[in-house]
Amino acid sequence: MQSRTLYKRFISTFLMASLIGCQSGINSEQVIKGDSIKIKVNTRGTFGNNISGVSDNNRLMLRFDKTGTGSFTNTTTTSPDFFQPGTPFEGFSVEYKLTGGSLTEKRNVNRNYNEIGTGTLTDKSGVSYENLTFDNRVIWERSGTSGSTTPFDISHDYMFNDSSSFVLINTKITALDDFEELYFGRFGDPDQGKERPGNNSFTTINTRDSQSSVTAVSTDNQFAITLATNENNSVGAGISGDSSIGLTGISSTSSWQTKGRYYLAATESSSTGDESIGLGFEFNNVSSGDTQSFYYAYCLGEDVTASRNICNNVAFTFLNTDDGDAVYSISGTTSIGGTLSTSVTTADPDGNGTISSYTWQSSSDGINWTTIGTSSTYTITSSEQGKYIRLLVSYTDGESFSESVTASSVTIGSQLHTEWLQPFAAMQNVGLNSIKKFRDLVLNKAGDCNDYGWIIDNTDFCLYSNVSNSISYVNGNGNYGGYDYANFITAVNLEKTFNDKWKAGLAYGFGTSNLDSFNFSGTTANFSSNNRHYSIFASKKVNDKFTLKGMIAGSDFDYEGNRNYSATAAESVYDADGYTSEIIGTWDIYKFIKESNSLLHLQPSLGIAFATHKQEGFSESGSGDLVTITSNESQSLLLKTGIGIKKQIPMEKGKWILVPSIDLNYEYDAYAKNNSRKIGGIVKGSSDATTFVSSENLGEHRLSGEIGADFICTENFSFNLNADYVLADGGNQYSYGGGFRLVF
């Protein structure tokens, strides 16, 4: 039984060994050749054999056949090996600095360094790999370990076609830890002149062509090799022995350097000697998991011009890799009726190529999309209101890659409904009415403080106060919504008597305004404000019959409100201010009635008043279809006339006096239909032109009747009450108020 077990173990071991032996073909040295290039890639990832020693023509590294026949027979005149003569030197290095650490260098060189370690080789000749196909191709790969001395994965992809005179190399380095600094170097010591008849020298003429290219040629200017990259940033080409390098830890006298930092920083333009050439690449702040991928090439030619032309014009044109996509954006008017189009905002790195299709899509939630158009432009319909629109663009880029990209979506603003602006236009009318009611309170009793107010300590100063509350009803119609509004105002007047003709004073008013019950075409709104008024007034008794009164005043308003429409819940907070002036003349006609032993007072009047309400611009907040309101100045111009009748009636045998009054007035608002009452607005965030909208108001013509009564109770106490009703062509209004006199 035991012997059978041992047998099974033997068989298992044998099979595993056989399998490993079969796989070893992948890991062995690989020789690939075309018509002009023949190379051997070893398991260190460099050219040639993994051993040092004297020159041996049977040991292949990088050979060039200028005849292009692929014979590689005459090594002296037609097909020299660029790195084999002398002491072979070709390889690469990785320098890294861990976060908080110091620079560490790891090298693989074909003859004497294997610090990164051996890897695996895989033949990809004639096989499409990463969108590239080459006749001759081998990939070397080496895995590292996080926390070790090689905390990175690295690979080299060597590729060229049969007709190529270059070896294109793609190196990839994947960080397994975080690096503050990362450097890569690729280098070699060209000795192609050693095999030239009459030359027999290891010396080469080395030239730094540019930041990304360096060339070495034999001293008889035959057979040149150029090492170049298509990278533009953080790359440098250099020559060993550059005395101006000045890098810490690098000997400037050494002719064979391995550090990529040396070649990155080298500045020497040319040098002749047995020196190496190389490229250096720099990457900073590389996080674990990041991969750095870059290309470079060895280009070979009969002379310097030929090798440089191969690198400049041929080697990198084979990189038909998809280097990225173009970025498209949507432009145009993002509202109903607007036309959307697209343009490239960031070019495709491989060329923008040709667009094959457009697909316009809309979505209500930004997740589920429906196709709505396939033309290069799209005109927005009402069905896209409030939705998202995006565009899918399919195109073939300049390197024939098929691409499909999506332009960032845009939000289609709602089509502005004029009724959304009407409450704001209406609130201007409310503000103008508040200013008017303040004027009325100040001027109605101006000049009469001694009769109705409190004379302060037998001085020329008198103080009185009046209160008014008005409620207005504005009728709607087919174009405008109706609404209610109220203005409550308290006015306090301080009046000074200068002489029997002149009286003047200051007035302060405060109160509130409210707009309620706006409901039109699905839009509802409610607004309120706190109001303050400031005035200077004067009264002059021109003669016994005629009195002239005037005032100027300023106002400020703090508004807030809400508006609702469908799924919209909008809020607004904004300010306004205003000013006004009025002049009015009154005639006093008295008639004594003997029968009642009373006095009848007739008082015709004629006046004019101007007011303006200046509202700031603002945007609603909340959700749904929000609007932005522009600043606006609305105006009112009132022409007013009327007649008042008062009669003094002694009551209780003269113990107190009742003064009933009736006033009939007509006012004409010349600006009621003026364009100044229109408010402008757009859907918030829209680029549409501003729309101007009016609202209904009380109208141009207003006829009012007021009844009131003064109750003169004692010498020290009296009070008054009043109520009025306004009939206008756009609605109606009623008010009530009063005041009192109390002498202390």
Side-chain angles (χ1 to χ4, degrees):
M1 195 68 173
Q2 184 177 5
S3 61
R4 184 177 294 179
T5 301
L6 292 174
Y7 175 78
K8 289 181 177 180
R9 289 180 178 176
F10 171 77
I11 294 296
S12 299
T13 304
F14 175 80
L15 292 174
M16 185 175 291
S18 300
L19 180 61
I20 294 173
C22 291
Q23 293 177 333
S24 67
I26 298 177
N27 296 320
S28 62
E29 296 173 338
Q30 296 288 317
V31 177
I32 54 176
K33 71 172 186 173
D35 298 333
S36 299
I37 298 287
K38 184 178 182 180
I39 64 172
K40 177 187 287 186
V41 181
N42 62 57
T43 54
R44 294 182 182 179
T46 67
F47 293 152
N49 301 77
N50 290 343
I51 60 173
S52 61
V54 297
S55 176
D56 184 348
N57 289 336
N58 292 323
R59 288 168 53 199
L60 170 68
M61 291 188 71
L62 172 60
R63 186 165 291 174
F64 172 65
D65 187 350
K66 76 173 186 179
T67 66
T69 61
S71 58
F72 304 99
T73 56
N74 187 333
T75 62
T76 60
T77 59
T78 60
S79 57
D81 194 310
F82 278 83
F83 294 123
Q84 175 58 38
T87 303
F89 179 78
E90 200 279 335
F92 62 93
S93 69
V94 176
E95 276 187 290
Y96 63 87
K97 182 180 180 182
L98 298 174
T99 302
S102 58
L103 278 170
T104 300
E105 183 188 23
K106 294 296 178 181
R107 301 163 288 181
N108 272 15
V109 181
N110 64 317
R111 58 178 295 271
N112 57 350
Y113 295 110
N114 190 26
E115 297 170 345
I116 296 174
T118 57
T120 60
L121 295 168
T122 306
D123 194 336
K124 292 288 186 179
S125 300
V127 178
S128 178
Y129 179 71
E130 295 187 342
N131 291 320
L132 293 173
T133 304
F134 282 89
D135 298 333
N136 310 285
R137 190 174 191 178
V138 64
I139 300 172
W140 175 85
E141 297 172 291
R142 167 69 181 177
S143 297
T145 304
S146 174
S148 70
T149 58
T150 54
F152 53 86
D153 297 337
I154 186 168
S155 67
H156 304 309
D157 187 352
Y158 301 92
M159 58 199 112
F160 58 93
N161 287 320
D162 288 339
S163 60
S164 299
S165 296
F166 64 86
V167 179
L168 182 64
I169 308 171
N170 174 218
T171 293
K172 294 180 180 178
I173 304 174
T174 300
L176 303 180
D177 293 319
D178 294 336
F179 299 148
E180 289 183 1
E181 300 174 35
L182 177 66
Y183 301 93
F184 175 81
R186 189 78 192 215
F187 43 79
D189 172 34
D191 288 328
Q192 67 269 33
K194 180 64 176 177
E195 296 180 340
R196 294 282 299 156
N199 189 350
N200 196 31
S201 173
F202 296 112
T203 298
T204 52
I205 302 171
N206 311 292
T207 305
R208 185 175 181 271
D209 308 320
S210 67
Q211 180 181 334
S212 58
S213 178
V214 60
T215 298
V217 66
S218 63
T219 54
D220 58 356
N221 293 314
Q222 297 292 313
F223 294 108
I225 182 170
T226 298
L227 177 59
T229 180
N230 63 339
E231 301 290 327
N232 295 318
N233 300 314
S234 299
V235 62
I239 308 164
S240 291
D242 188 347
S243 60
S244 63
I245 187 67
L247 288 178
T248 302
I250 296 179
S251 173
S252 63
T253 60
S254 176
S255 60
W256 293 357
Q257 290 292 340
T258 61
K259 288 180 172 59
R261 285 186 299 140
Y262 173 88
Y263 298 105
L264 180 72
T267 59
E268 190 174 21
S269 60
S270 63
S271 177
T272 299
D274 185 13
E275 299 175 341
S276 65
I277 59 175
L279 287 176
F281 300 82
E282 179 183 13
F283 311 95
N284 293 315
N285 300 316
V286 181
S287 300
S288 177
D290 291 350
T291 297
Q292 311 300 324
S293 178
F294 45 94
Y295 288 87
Y296 51 97
Y298 284 113
C299 302
L300 312 178
E302 290 188 65
D303 51 37
V304 171
T305 300
S307 67
R308 288 174 179 170
N309 285 340
I310 293 296
C311 271
N312 292 336
N313 303 317
V314 180
F316 300 104
T317 62
F318 290 84
L319 295 180
N320 192 22
T321 58
D322 191 356
D323 295 317
D325 302 327
V327 177
Y328 284 81
S329 63
I330 297 174
S331 59
T333 302
T334 56
S335 58
I336 296 172
T339 298
L340 303 179
S341 60
T342 187
S343 60
V344 176
T345 55
T346 301
D348 190 305
D350 301 324
N352 293 332
T354 304
I355 295 175
S356 55
S357 67
Y358 301 89
T359 304
W360 295 93
Q361 297 179 327
S362 69
S363 173
S364 300
D365 54 13
I367 299 173
N368 302 299
W369 297 89
T370 301
T371 298
I372 55 176
T374 56
S375 300
S376 60
T377 61
Y378 181 73
T379 301
I380 302 168
T381 67
S382 58
S383 62
E384 277 80 56
Q385 178 175 310
K387 294 183 179 180
Y388 305 98
I389 289 183
R390 70 179 186 182
L391 174 64
L392 278 62
V393 180
S394 296
Y395 69 99
T396 303
D397 68 18
E399 294 186 354
S400 300
F401 285 95
S402 296
E403 310 285 13
S404 183
V405 296
T406 302
S408 298
S409 63
V410 294
T411 303
I412 305 305
S414 299
Q415 186 175 25
L416 183 69
H417 294 213
T418 56
E419 62 267 21
W420 297 350
L421 302 183
Q422 285 189 36
F424 301 102
M427 206 58 194
Q428 296 183 128
N429 301 323
V430 179
L432 288 170
N433 184 262
S434 177
I435 294 173
K436 176 184 181 303
K437 301 302 291 186
F438 176 68
R439 284 199 316 261
D440 293 343
L441 285 182
V442 173
L443 291 182
N444 282 349
K445 302 296 185 183
D448 298 328
C449 183
N450 291 342
D451 297 328
Y452 298 100
W454 170 42
I455 300 174
I456 304 174
D457 294 335
N458 296 318
T459 66
D460 294 329
F461 291 94
C462 182
L463 187 70
Y464 68 94
S465 174
N466 286 305
V467 178
S468 175
N469 187 55
S470 64
I471 300 175
S472 305
Y473 302 92
V474 177
N475 302 325
N477 54 43
N479 297 318
Y480 299 106
Y483 54 93
D484 306 338
Y485 66 89
N487 276 308
F488 174 79
I489 300 176
T490 298
V492 180
N493 292 27
L494 178 64
E495 186 175 280
K496 177 180 173 57
T497 300
F498 292 93
N499 50 51
D500 58 349
K501 292 184 178 183
W502 278 98
K503 297 180 180 181
L506 304 174
Y508 171 72
F510 58 92
T512 59
S513 298
N514 293 279
L515 183 149
D516 302 304
S517 305
F518 181 90
N519 190 340
F520 183 68
S521 192
T523 296
T524 61
N526 296 277
F527 287 83
S528 64
S529 70
N530 293 313
N531 316 324
R532 293 161 296 277
H533 309 277
Y534 317 88
S535 174
I536 300 174
F537 63 91
S539 172
K540 182 181 182 182
K541 195 171 184 62
V542 180
N543 52 50
D544 292 340
K545 300 293 185 180
F546 182 67
T547 301
L548 192 64
K549 302 179 181 180
M551 68 172 294
I552 57 174
S555 306
D556 60 78
F557 305 85
D558 298 325
Y559 290 109
E560 62 180 26
N562 60 79
R563 180 183 62 85
N564 296 276
Y565 173 82
S566 183
T568 296
E571 297 179 351
S572 53
V573 178
Y574 60 100
D575 298 328
D577 56 49
Y579 64 87
T580 187
S581 61
E582 181 174 349
I583 186 168
I584 187 170
T586 59
W587 288 263
D588 296 299
I589 303 172
Y590 296 93
K591 182 176 179 61
F592 183 77
I593 303 175
K594 294 181 180 180
E595 292 78 3
S596 60
N597 193 29
S598 61
L599 190 65
L600 183 66
H601 182 197
L602 301 176
Q603 193 174 57
S605 63
L606 184 66
I608 183 171
F610 175 80
T612 185
H613 177 273
K614 301 169 63 176
Q615 176 191 290
E616 71 174 1
F618 63 94
S619 292
E620 290 181 312
S621 60
S623 59
D625 299 318
L626 307 178
V627 297
T628 295
I629 303 297
T630 61
S631 60
N632 189 58
E633 182 174 350
S634 58
Q635 298 173 339
S636 171
L637 180 63
L638 284 182
L639 306 177
K640 49 195 300 185
T641 185
I643 185 170
I645 303 173
K646 295 182 180 180
K647 183 181 180 180
Q648 291 185 357
I649 305 174
M651 305 296 291
E652 297 184 33
K653 297 180 181 182
K655 290 183 177 181
W656 61 280
I657 299 174
L658 173 65
V659 186
S661 63
I662 299 176
D663 291 270
L664 296 175
N665 299 287
Y666 169 76
E667 296 176 338
Y668 173 71
D669 189 351
Y671 289 170
K673 304 299 182 182
N674 190 278
N675 284 336
S676 73
R677 303 284 183 94
K678 289 186 175 182
I679 199 75
I682 59 174
V683 175
K684 188 177 180 180
S686 171
S687 59
D688 294 349
T690 300
T691 299
F692 293 89
V693 176
S694 296
S695 71
E696 190 62 276
N697 54 50
L698 288 176
E700 298 173 292
H701 305 280
R702 305 170 187 179
L703 183 65
S704 66
E706 179 180 345
I707 59 174
D710 292 306
F711 300 87
I712 304 173
C713 301
T714 68
E715 183 180 352
N716 294 331
F717 177 71
S718 64
F719 66 94
N720 64 85
L721 299 172
N722 60 79
D724 70 76
Y725 180 79
V726 178
L727 180 63
D729 51 4
N732 58 84
Q733 175 182 285
Y734 70 88
S735 305
Y736 56 89
F740 67 94
R741 176 190 186 193
L742 179 62
V743 179
F744 300 94

